[in-house]
Amino acid sequence: MLKLSYNGLDQVHSLAQCGFSARPACVGTRRRRSGIAGFRSPGVRAFPVVAVVSDKDGAVASRVETEAGTLADRLRLGSLTEDGLSYKEKFIVRSYEVGINKTATVETIANLLQVFDFDLFVQLGDLEVGCNHAQSVGYSTDGFATTPTMRKLRLIWVTARMHIEIYKYPAWSDVVEIETWCQGEGRVGTRRDFIMKDFATDQVIGRATSKWVMMNQDTRRLQKVSDDVREEVLVYCPREPRLAIPEEDSNCLKKIPKLEDPAEYSKVGLVPRRADLDMNQHVNNVAYIGWVLESMPQEIIDSHELQSITLDYRRECGQHDVVDSLTGVEMIQGDAEAVPELKATNGSAISKDAKQQFLHLLRLSTNGLEINRGRTEWRKKAPR
């Protein structure tokens, strides 16, 4: 992976000024580009951003161009791709984002994606990469990434499911590139997919997919996506289906059964901190992941690493709610054949008999109502 040094203030200044016209051959070289800092990779446009607006047949109908934009726009390490239908952004893994293994934690990766937040679930506007994508194509910047018709009708996006797969955890000072795009999902919603790569090698190290539905901001009721909204959204979406994760033989579509009480493992009385709340005073997505992991058996945490996590969202959680986290083992069906497509952090193939799978339930302590259901899959850690 591409490594960036943090030895002294001069190194930081050098990083702020460097720009790559392709995969980096040398990190230490300074290069000024009209005061605009950023990594550039093939097929990615620098700001000003150009969004391609296509008609129903896929032909380019018009282009949306931004001006020079804010300072954040000019310094952001990302932009729309050439076709305007996806967005790429690069992130450096900081020292405070790694765990005891000196690799990024799953919370760090979730923060980069920002995939599980706002009101009941995730809203497009809260995705770190997704929000920047939404701003690039002209959606609202109020945290909800709504279209004009949605704002008129008081509608917002919420997500019903999120699934993340991590093939290799990036380490401290690695640079990762995340690409995201959205597309239609039947008549009742849309979906957003992500691909995470090692920027230095272009190797795919993770994927994610999310499914959204529409909700009335006032009544909190779900609502079918209207044709007007669909027209506003789909002009920025690929014409042909593009899935980050092949759905066959994947947990991303599998139903998550309810974990019954008493569970094998539990952690009760979890209370949101102020730092866990988003701008709408609801619990942030990363807190949900942390709560799920709180009830994992310690022996699994010590001997395995998280390979995938799936969450179904059912209820919002507020500042004063008290939460119970329940976990139980889920038996894996099938034989113990190796899965050559899936690589562990050390590059070796993962076999099914090395995996452990668990079901999760977050619920309100007061009345037992479900907040979300989850499934995690764990692979054996590579020997040191």
Side-chain angles (χ1 to χ4, degrees), residues 276-296:
D276 294 330
L277 304 180
D278 60 34
M279 65 180 72
N280 290 325
Q281 301 297 307
H282 296 140
V283 172
N284 183 274
N285 62 312
V286 179
Y288 288 126
I289 298 176
W291 287 344
V292 164
L293 299 182
E294 277 295 314
S295 58
M296 279 295 299

Side-chain angles (χ1 to χ4, degrees), residues 151-210:
R151 292 192 290 277
K152 180 180 178 181
L153 299 177
R154 301 282 294 168
L155 301 174
I156 58 176
W157 291 112
V158 296
T159 206
R161 169 170 282 213
M162 186 67 209
H163 175 83
I164 303 175
E165 296 181 1
I166 307 170
Y167 312 138
K168 182 179 182 180
Y169 283 85
W172 173 29
S173 76
D174 285 347
V175 178
V176 297
E177 179 181 70
I178 300 176
E179 180 183 10
T180 183
W181 64 95
C182 58
Q183 56 197 318
E185 181 76 6
R187 295 293 302 175
V188 296
T190 59
R191 63 182 287 160
R192 177 170 284 275
D193 285 39
F194 301 83
I195 294 178
M196 183 169 65
K197 292 184 177 182
D198 174 346
F199 181 66
T201 66
D202 208 35
Q203 176 190 6
V204 175
I205 60 175
R207 302 175 190 268
T209 184
S210 58

Side-chain angles (χ1 to χ4, degrees), residues 10 28 61 82 88 92 94 99 111 150 152 185 213 220 224 226 230 259 269-270 316 327 370 376 380 384:
D10 290 340
E82 288 287 350
K88 292 183 179 181
I92 305 165
R94 311 292 183 174
N111 265 321
M150 292 177 65
K152 180 180 178 181
E185 181 76 6
V213 291
R220 319 303 287 178
K224 182 180 292 187
S226 68
R230 188 173 298 276
L259 184 62
L270 299 171
E316 59 194 343
T327 292
E370 290 183 73
T376 57
K380 199 81 171 177
R384 294 189 177 183

Side-chain angles (χ1 to χ4, degrees), residues 1 5-6 46 51 107 121 202 238 242 299 345-346 383:
M1 277 206 177
S5 174
Y6 296 91
E107 289 91 343
F121 330 107
D202 208 35
R242 181 189 175 195
E299 58 268 24
T345 297
N346 67 345

Side-chain angles (χ1 to χ4, degrees), residues 256-265 325-329 359-361 363 370 373:
I256 303 177
K258 183 177 180 180
L259 184 62
E260 299 296 338
D261 202 16
E264 297 170 80
Y265 310 95
S325 174
L326 308 180
T327 292
V329 176
L359 295 175
H360 306 274
L361 174 67
R363 68 183 184 188
E370 290 183 73
R373 299 181 188 184

